[in-house]
Amino acid sequence: MIILPYAEKYRDDMIFMILQAKDAMGRIPSINADLLDIEGNYLAKGDMFWIALNEKDRVIGCIGYSGTENLDEAFLHRLYVKASEKHKGIGSALLLTAENAMRKQGIRTVFVHLGAPKEQWFESYAFYPKHGYTEYAPRYMRKDL
């Protein structure tokens, strides 16, 4: 596996992976509008987005973040791992990549919004606390970097 900054040539494969991931979770596959234009919604604003690729150059994961009005805070977005690749450290590697980049940019607090109902997003509610995130409001977690 390799983690790279997002490149437009991986857009369709990334969207396909996310739709498959949602389907595997029992959710109706849909795509969030921000994912249709990573360049405009993340990179052009000074935020970041990464993809994880397997040895066949296929997208097996992704993550992004966007800054807030407070320059030392950011929100994580769109951490997905291909269903058949879960529990192999890909999500943890993506999260670490994003956290390290945020630290370098002077971001000290990171937030993540989790889905509802909680039962449908049980993986997220279990994943983030393992990495030091704590719930501070319903469906929201944070971590001081």
Side-chain angles (χ1 to χ4, degrees):
M1 174 202 56
I2 185 170
I3 296 175
L4 300 172
Y6 174 82
E8 187 67 18
K9 72 178 186 172
Y10 294 108
R11 177 186 177 268
D12 293 347
D13 196 29
M14 180 191 71
I15 289 171
F16 182 66
M17 181 273 303
I18 292 170
L19 292 172
Q20 285 182 314
K22 287 182 176 185
D23 185 56
M25 290 188 295
R27 301 189 56 77
I28 296 173
S30 62
I31 203 69
N32 302 79
D34 62 310
L35 294 169
L36 298 174
D37 182 13
I38 298 295
E39 176 66 38
N41 290 307
Y42 292 91
L43 307 181
K45 296 177 180 179
D47 301 324
M48 278 299 299
F49 205 95
W50 295 268
I51 53 171
L53 302 172
N54 67 12
E55 65 281 348
K56 295 179 181 176
D57 204 38
R58 295 295 306 269
V59 177
I60 56 172
C62 63
I63 192 170
Y65 75 82
S66 60
T68 69
E69 290 180 7
N70 296 328
L71 298 179
D72 63 345
E73 298 178 347
F75 263 91
L76 285 174
H77 300 285
R78 314 297 176 222
L79 174 55
Y80 287 100
V81 174
K82 186 175 180 173
S84 63
E85 301 296 320
K86 288 186 178 185
H87 307 290
K88 296 180 180 180
I90 297 164
S92 296
L94 284 162
L95 182 59
L96 184 61
T97 297
E99 288 177 349
N100 286 339
M102 287 186 280
R103 280 186 192 97
K104 287 179 185 175
Q105 281 200 324
I107 295 168
R108 297 290 165 239
T109 306
V110 60
F111 302 94
V112 62
H113 175 254
L114 304 178
K118 193 173 186 176
E119 298 75 30
Q120 290 184 2
W121 296 94
F122 65 94
E123 290 176 316
S124 296
Y125 284 90
F127 176 82
Y128 287 104
K130 289 179 187 176
H131 293 86
Y133 288 75
T134 56
E135 194 166 355
Y136 69 93
R139 299 189 331 245
Y140 286 89
M141 291 189 182
R142 65 175 283 161
K143 179 179 179 180
D144 292 324
L145 298 177

